């Protein structure tokens, strides 16, 4: 069933833009909260969950496109670049500091690393698509 499904490349590009938008927004929000000294509330945790869900969907779409034969030369950027932003979130949940100030700034650092890695992956992927890499 899944092998017969076809995912257009445009879906991956649009999801990539959504990933950039959501990870960027999450980075700004967590940095703002850390700077203001506020603890992450319920809705900020909802934003974090939504960000991780969008990252997971993007990774699955990328793996399906690789399975279809689209961009086989980009295996490393898809696997490493696609999974690294999720790794930063997993690392956060595994070793989150318990101190209030450290917690806020560590979360801001995690979301910043996630955004920067997603931006790098998107930029490299677009370079491959355009043929400039």
């Amino acid at each position: 069933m899944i092998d017969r499904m076809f995912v257009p490349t445009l879906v991956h590009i649009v999801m990539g833009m959504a990933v950039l938008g959501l990870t960027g927004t999450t980075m700004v929000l967590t940095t703002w909260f850390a700077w203001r000294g506020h603890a992450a509330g319920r809705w900020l945790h909802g934003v974090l969950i939504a960000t991780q869900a969008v990252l997971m969907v993007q990774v699955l779409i990328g793996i399906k496109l690789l399975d279809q034969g689209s961009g086989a030369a980009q295996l490393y950027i898809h696997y490493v670049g696609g999974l690294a932003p999720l790794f930063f979130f997993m690392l956060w949940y595994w070793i989150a500091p318990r101190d209030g100030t450290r917690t806020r700034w560590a979360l801001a650092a995690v979301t910043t690393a996630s955004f920067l890695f997603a931006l790098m992956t998107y930029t490299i992927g677009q370079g491959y698509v355009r043929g400039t890499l």
Side-chain angles (χ1 to χ4, degrees):
M1 169 85 177
I2 292 177
D3 287 341
R4 293 182 187 180
M5 288 175 54
F6 179 77
V7 177
T9 309
L10 181 63
V11 173
H12 193 50
I13 294 169
V14 171
M15 278 301 295
M17 288 184 226
V19 164
L20 286 179
L22 199 51
T23 56
T25 301
T26 304
M27 174 190 68
V28 168
L29 287 173
T30 56
T31 304
W32 175 257
F33 270 65
W35 183 67
R36 300 286 290 170
H38 298 306
R42 188 175 226 172
W43 71 271
L44 184 57
H45 283 289
V47 171
L48 290 167
I49 290 168
T51 302
Q52 293 168 73
V54 168
L55 283 167
M56 287 180 221
V57 169
Q58 176 69 339
V59 167
L60 292 174
I61 291 170
I63 290 170
K64 177 60 182 153
L65 285 172
L66 289 172
D67 181 54
Q68 290 174 191
S70 301
Q74 302 180 40
L75 283 173
Y76 290 114
I77 194 63
H78 273 92
Y79 285 118
V80 175
L83 292 171
L86 280 174
F87 170 74
F88 292 125
F89 280 103
M90 285 179 17
L91 192 63
W92 163 254
Y93 290 114
W94 286 342
I95 58 171
R98 302 292 176 228
D99 175 67
T101 303
R102 281 188 180 168
T103 300
R104 290 189 290 273
W105 283 109
L107 183 58
V110 163
T111 56
T112 300
S114 180
F115 170 71
L116 291 175
F117 223 97
L119 179 64
M120 178 193 69
T121 303
Y122 186 83
T123 304
I124 292 172
Q126 286 299 307
Y128 271 110
V129 169
R130 290 187 190 119
T132 57
L133 292 178

